[in-house]
Amino acid sequence: MDEFSLIDYFFKSRARRADDLILGIGDDAAGLRLAFGEDLWVSTDTLVADVHFGADWDPYDIAYKAIMVNLSDLAAMAARPKWVLLALTLPNPDPSFLQAFSNGLFDVLNRLEVSLVGGDMTKGPLSITITVLGSAPQGQALRRQGGQNGDKIYVSGYLGAAAFALKHPLSARFEERDYHLLQEKLKRPEARVDLTPILQKYASACIDVSDGLTADLSHILKASALGACLDLKAIPLHPLIRKYHFDALAIEEVLDFALYGGDDYELCFTIPAQKSLIFEQELQEEQKSAYCIGFLQHEPGLTVLDQKGRAVVLASRGYRHF
Ligand code: ADP
Ligand code: MG
């Protein structure tokens, strides 16, 4: 198959059509229509073999992760993803690779009602660049800079499992079911696009946890010109990390996975204190949960209270007790 038949067969023929799509794959550009009163939000990310994913991964998982990583950036802005472009660099146009890859891609896109509207295909070392476009009602998207003194800090789910799976890649030490769950956390993250409406309503700032909680939260702190106080007891460490609490690691070392481990793609966001109760009630009505881990404060930097309520300083790795 030549380049055009590959694009037709694996991508164009499978791309969903939607009313907001004036023109999709097949011309020199795609045409998109925004609803009245909506702003356009755009983001792009490249994933490179053996940096962001293993070259030996199932191509289904490579596509799954590549698209979710990109959708997560829009979720972090509380913008609803609508369209994506895919620029694919392949060492050779292997149809079995493209079949599994497009299955992973379209399983996510169809489920989340996002349209593939264009892209590019070139020969070279395996790499995937996805551009995602989405919308939010004017003025309702979230930025890192919106945090205010006293706002509560939340994370949308358990942290650390992806980093834990990366560190313990072999199945030998896990029960089979747990091994698959951990691999899934690493290879098939779920962008928290489900939280967009409630975050638009209540949140003041938001970021996705791609580089690790402390690293990503510090972007909110810098942009909002504030510090934070975190309660270590409240950090939602993934239960499987607790279960496989190997080699009697100290709880502080285990928590490192949640504090510094990347690739979780949960959201970290802030909610004004006076809205936090109603936010939590509404979340519960939707049968969702989020974990309050601390609050924003004027005092700069990150203050962390340990299990006994003592202030500790977070080093670049691990802890330094006073
Ligand atoms: P051009 O030479 O104008 O850049 P291309 O041959 O690169 O056109 O692409 C032809 C059409 O197929 C365009 O509409 C482009 O957006 C689309 N396309 C190319 N590669 C992909 C891909 N991997 N996924 C989806 N659409 C693609
Ligand atoms: Mg092109």
Side-chain angles (χ1 to χ4, degrees):
M1 281 201 257
D2 67 11
E3 181 197 337
F4 299 108
S5 348
L6 288 170
I7 294 168
D8 270 4
Y9 185 79
F10 291 107
F11 299 109
K12 187 179 176 188
S13 67
R14 300 184 67 176
R16 65 190 286 281
R17 315 234 140 256
D19 293 345
D20 54 22
L21 187 55
I22 303 167
L23 187 59
I25 296 172
D27 213 309
D28 293 311
L32 315 170
R33 186 166 289 139
L34 276 180
F36 185 75
E38 299 252 309
D39 293 328
L40 179 66
W41 293 86
V42 185
S43 176
T44 195
D45 257 328
T46 296
L47 287 87
V48 176
D50 292 323
V51 179
H52 302 95
F53 60 87
D56 60 341
W57 284 19
D58 183 336
Y60 184 101
D61 292 337
I62 297 176
Y64 200 106
K65 182 152 190 169
I67 186 68
M68 283 300 188
V69 163
N70 276 276
L71 296 177
S72 179
D73 280 324
L74 276 207
M77 308 304 293
R80 184 174 169 283
K82 295 184 141 191
W83 307 287
V84 296
L85 295 130
L86 166 68
L88 196 54
T89 305
L90 293 175
N92 54 68
D94 174 4
S96 69
F97 180 96
L98 284 168
Q99 186 62 58
F101 185 91
S102 57
N103 287 346
L105 182 75
F106 286 109
D107 279 356
V108 174
L109 293 182
N110 292 337
R111 170 160 58 91
L112 300 178
E113 300 183 341
V114 176
S115 306
L116 178 67
V117 302
D120 199 17
M121 203 142 71
T122 47
K123 193 177 163 78
L126 178 58
S127 117
I128 299 137
T129 298
I130 292 177
T131 301
V132 52
L133 304 99
S135 68
Q138 274 171 24
Q140 285 197 26
L142 295 171
R143 301 162 195 224
R144 297 174 180 183
Q145 70 180 37
Q148 299 289 325
N149 180 46
D151 286 0
K152 294 197 175 186
I153 303 167
Y154 288 81
V155 289
S156 60
Y158 294 132
L159 298 176
F164 190 72
L166 195 63
K167 183 140 187 223
H168 301 285
L170 301 176
S171 58
R173 46 202 332 186
F174 304 104
E175 288 167 31
E176 198 181 327
R177 195 168 147 269
D178 294 341
Y179 175 72
H180 288 296
L181 267 168
L182 286 168
Q183 288 296 304
E184 196 172 273
K185 280 288 171 191
L186 178 64
K187 295 175 176 175
R188 297 189 193 175
E190 282 300 323
R192 297 305 306 271
V193 295
D194 59 309
L195 295 176
T196 292
I198 199 166
L199 292 179
Q200 285 179 350
K201 207 161 154 190
Y202 294 109
S204 50
C206 187
I207 193 166
D208 63 326
V209 183
S210 54
D211 296 334
L213 178 63
T214 53
D216 291 315
L217 174 59
S218 73
H219 293 307
I220 288 186
L221 300 184
K222 191 166 174 220
S224 302
L226 288 167
C229 181
L230 292 188
D231 179 1
L232 280 194
K233 285 197 302 303
I235 307 277
L237 180 67
H238 195 284
L240 282 180
I241 305 177
R242 269 188 220 285
K243 177 169 175 183
Y244 294 98
H245 195 252
F246 290 137
D247 312 326
L249 286 177
I251 184 66
E252 281 81 2
E253 291 176 59
V254 176
L255 261 177
D256 277 8
F257 287 110
L259 291 171
Y260 305 108
D263 271 2
D264 286 312
Y265 302 101
E266 293 293 343
L267 298 177
C268 175
F269 52 90
T270 56
I271 304 271
Q274 71 276 14
K275 293 185 189 168
S276 67
L277 200 63
I278 174 130
F279 163 74
E280 288 184 22
Q281 278 167 357
E282 203 169 309
L283 201 63
Q284 204 174 14
E285 281 160 22
E286 292 179 24
Q287 301 189 320
K288 292 179 183 144
S289 44
Y291 304 86
C292 181
I293 59 169
F295 56 88
L296 297 179
Q297 60 184 11
H298 282 306
E299 194 185 326
L302 201 54
T303 304
V304 177
L305 305 178
D306 74 4
Q307 313 287 326
K308 295 193 177 108
R310 297 170 305 195
V312 292
V313 172
L314 287 178
S316 54
R317 275 210 71 77
Y319 300 86
R320 245 177 331 125
H321 287 266
F322 281 128

